[in-house]
Amino acid sequence: MSNDPNNFVSESSTSEANSDVFFEVAVPNFATSTSTSGGSFVRLGAFPDLTTDASLAGLSNSMALANLVGDVVATAKIDSVPGGFTDGSGLGSPYAGTGDPNYLLGFADDTRLRAADAPGDTLSNPDTLLAGASVTNSAANRQKETLTLLTKGGWWDHSDGNRVTTTSGDKIEVIQGNYKLVVLGRQPLVPDPGPSALAKLAENAFITDVSGGHFQEQYPSPTPCIKTIEYSQDDDGEWTLYQDNGKGNLITKLSGRTVDLFEGSKREAYVGNATASTGTDPSNGTKMTLDPVIIAKTWARSTYAQTGSEDKPVGATGSVSTADWLASAFTAQQVDVVAGVAGNTSAESGDVVTKTWASRILNYTGSSATPVHKVYSETYALDVESFTFATSVISSTFAGSVFNTTTAASIVNTNIAANSMELLTGYKESLTIAGKLDINIGASMVVNATEVTETGPYKAAAYATQDSIVGLKNSLRQTATTCAIEMMMLALRATEASDEYTNISLSFSALATSINLG
């Protein structure tokens, strides 16, 4: 049988070394359109090589595509996950290095920190395959196996046209190694593409990587979405999924039931940027907004939100009782209202901290057309402190009736103001069952412009009370009259003293005049 690669069927000669043995089926120069032609081939055994099999139809196109993943020189330079990758919070990935510049090359598992390279990793298999033999599962050994991707031999097929596979029954694929799928989406290849061209190609491609037993992918929308899985050595060692969506839109719509269950050491959420409101789009250099407009609307039959519980408050553990925990839980820094310090920037164990900075904060509950039937609030605490610092404070309540009840061993109300005014229209009742001390420093005026009357079953008691009040008024008036008479007498005495002083002054003047004339 001929070994001419452009024959329909060819094979290596019997004298070839084992490393060069192959069997090939090739169809050259078939029409792929009315003006172009291409080739297809299937090769078993030794893989084709551009040096010795350059005339094989379709081989140059096949090598250009295969090198996107298996180029030996470029793949050997990969030493970490994609460069600059973070978890979205500004906290860097624990894996430094230049990384895969285009996410096409090799397999994701080639550079994962795991097994032999991650002390304490008990989740990974300690062994891997290298040249068909079981070896230590290290990044170095995994990378060596990947470098033989296009030279190891096995099965290689390519077509410059389309490929259609149909199966009427079942299909099973068992892969002992790794698997990678790259879909370029009909993007044309350029001869000898550089790093920027490959990066652009990868950003607009769908890439699925199933290596080391883990699944990760990248796709162009949102642009680009990169998901990578790495082994984290914190929190007793566990796998971590990193997802970087770059820039793009994400819209999720679901009709049905959703349940979100989370248990773990920490859960974080960051929206916007802590230092800047705008930035530069790395894909095209244009200006992009970093701080979003946030809109949240909910319509529901009922809503229920709970933080902690009576049996297990926030920060409590099962090792101590709730009562013992509450007695010793508060150790966080107090808010220094004198110096204006905002307290701790993070929450201590047992704290629920809420901080808001904004130009305006507007809260609305119900409306005049559709008021809420009832607003109920209940608080139990050992200590409640509230401080408000503002240029002006306006508080208004409009209600059919208002009941305020305060029960305490001691109540201190302090108002420091240049002017304080209280306006009451209607009835006012005041009952004090206790000793009372009123101290007024300064001028005071009380004007009573109305009389209080009462009708009904308490009429007699009201009149008796009114008679007592009238008697008290008369007594006060008599006292006031007496005081006024006393003040008048003092004024008359002062006038008499003034007249005496005037007479003495005149006598001294006359004496001085006599001395001058003498």
Side-chain angles (χ1 to χ4, degrees):
M1 187 178 296
S2 171
N3 61 359
D4 183 353
N6 283 316
N7 284 342
F8 287 100
V9 179
S10 62
E11 63 180 4
S12 59
S13 64
T14 57
S15 61
E16 293 288 349
N18 292 339
S19 59
D20 296 324
V21 175
F22 71 91
F23 179 83
E24 182 179 279
V25 176
V27 179
N29 301 321
F30 68 91
T32 56
S33 68
T34 56
S35 58
T36 59
S37 61
S40 296
F41 67 85
V42 176
R43 183 169 176 131
L44 306 180
F47 279 170
D49 183 87
L50 284 177
T51 303
T52 58
D53 303 295
S55 61
L56 177 60
L59 179 59
S60 59
N61 290 340
S62 180
M63 290 298 296
L65 294 170
N67 277 325
L68 294 176
V69 176
D71 182 86
V72 176
V73 176
T75 303
K77 296 179 180 180
I78 302 175
D79 59 2
S80 186
V81 296
F85 197 94
T86 70
D87 63 5
S89 67
L91 305 176
S93 166
Y95 311 96
T98 58
D100 184 349
N102 52 54
Y103 201 68
L104 289 168
L105 297 168
F107 294 102
D109 196 54
D110 292 344
T111 56
R112 285 194 180 109
L113 187 66
R114 59 181 296 185
D117 303 313
D121 177 12
T122 60
L123 302 175
S124 301
N125 194 312
D127 299 321
T128 188
L129 292 175
L130 175 59
S134 179
V135 296
T136 301
N137 190 1
S138 65
N141 287 332
R142 295 193 298 271
Q143 291 170 3
K144 288 179 182 179
E145 181 67 16
T146 298
L147 292 178
T148 67
L149 193 61
L150 304 185
T151 58
K152 186 176 182 178
W155 177 304
W156 189 313
D157 66 85
H158 168 79
S159 177
D160 287 332
N162 297 332
R163 179 176 179 179
V164 179
T165 302
T166 60
T167 304
S168 295
D170 302 326
K171 183 177 182 180
I172 296 176
E173 286 189 78
V174 179
I175 302 173
Q176 191 174 9
N178 295 328
Y179 173 80
K180 190 161 191 173
L181 172 66
V182 177
V183 182
L184 298 179
R186 295 180 177 175
Q187 296 184 79
L189 295 182
V190 296
D192 300 323
S196 60
L198 289 175
K200 189 68 174 179
L201 196 69
E203 287 177 1
N204 292 276
F206 176 84
I207 304 172
T208 298
D209 186 298
V210 185
S211 60
H214 294 290
F215 174 86
Q216 68 183 62
E217 60 186 352
Q218 172 188 297
Y219 42 88
S221 180
T223 54
C225 175
I226 299 177
K227 296 179 181 179
T228 185
I229 298 177
E230 302 294 338
Y231 184 80
S232 175
Q233 295 188 85
D234 56 1
D235 298 329
D236 299 326
E238 188 50 83
W239 291 104
T240 301
L241 172 64
Y242 293 88
Q243 178 170 340
D244 188 350
N245 282 73
K247 180 183 178 181
N249 299 325
L250 176 62
I251 299 175
T252 302
K253 181 179 180 181
L254 175 66
S255 297
R257 182 185 182 192
T258 62
V259 178
D260 185 9
L261 302 176
F262 172 80
E263 294 178 347
S265 61
K266 196 173 186 180
R267 185 168 186 172
E268 302 178 48
Y270 301 86
V271 178
N273 189 284
T275 58
S277 58
T278 59
T280 303
D281 187 347
S283 63
N284 53 28
T286 60
K287 184 178 180 180
M288 63 183 296
T289 301
L290 302 179
D291 293 339
V293 175
I294 300 177
I295 300 175
K297 297 182 180 181
T298 301
W299 289 267
R301 291 179 296 173
S302 65
T303 64
Y304 177 82
Q306 177 176 319
T307 302
S309 65
E310 187 174 5
D311 296 331
K312 186 183 177 184
V314 173
T317 62
S319 59
V320 296
S321 66
T322 300
D324 293 339
W325 177 83
L326 288 173
S328 60
F330 187 70
T331 59
Q333 175 185 342
Q334 292 272 7
V335 175
D336 186 352
V337 297
V338 177
V341 179
N344 285 347
T345 56
S346 60
E348 301 284 344
S349 177
D351 288 351
V352 177
V353 179
T354 302
K355 295 185 178 183
T356 303
W357 287 267
S359 175
R360 295 195 303 168
I361 300 176
L362 310 176
N363 294 320
Y364 299 92
T365 302
S367 64
S368 59
T370 310
V372 176
H373 287 187
K374 186 175 182 178
V375 178
Y376 179 81
S377 177
E378 191 171 304
T379 301
Y380 296 90
L382 299 180
D383 188 16
V384 177
E385 298 183 28
S386 177
F387 300 92
T388 301
F389 303 93
T391 303
S392 65
V393 177
I394 300 176
S395 178
S396 303
T397 300
F398 304 93
S401 61
V402 178
F403 297 91
N404 293 319
T405 302
T406 302
T407 304
S410 175
I411 300 176
V412 178
N413 293 319
T414 303
N415 296 314
I416 302 174
N419 182 42
S420 178
M421 183 182 71
E422 179 180 357
L423 175 63
L424 173 67
T425 60
Y427 293 95
K428 180 177 181 180
E429 298 85 17
S430 177
L431 174 62
T432 301
I433 306 175
K436 184 176 181 180
L437 174 63
D438 290 332
I439 300 176
N440 182 74
I441 302 175
S444 177
M445 179 177 66
V446 178
V447 179
N448 185 11
T450 61
E451 291 290 337
V452 178
T453 60
E454 177 61 40
T455 60
Y458 301 101
K459 182 176 182 179
Y463 282 151
T465 303
Q466 183 172 353
D467 291 339
S468 299
I469 294 173
V470 171
L472 179 60
K473 286 182 178 179
N474 292 332
S475 177
L476 291 173
R477 286 168 182 167
Q478 292 176 1
T479 302
T481 301
T482 302
C483 291
I485 293 172
E486 292 290 337
M487 292 296 293
M488 290 176 64
M489 295 299 295
L490 290 173
L492 289 173
R493 291 172 184 172
T495 301
E496 291 175 355
S498 176
D499 290 340
E500 292 179 1
Y501 176 82
T502 301
N503 291 331
I504 294 172
S505 177
L506 290 173
S507 298
F508 274 105
S509 297
L511 179 60
T513 302
S514 298
I515 294 172
N516 290 331
L517 291 176

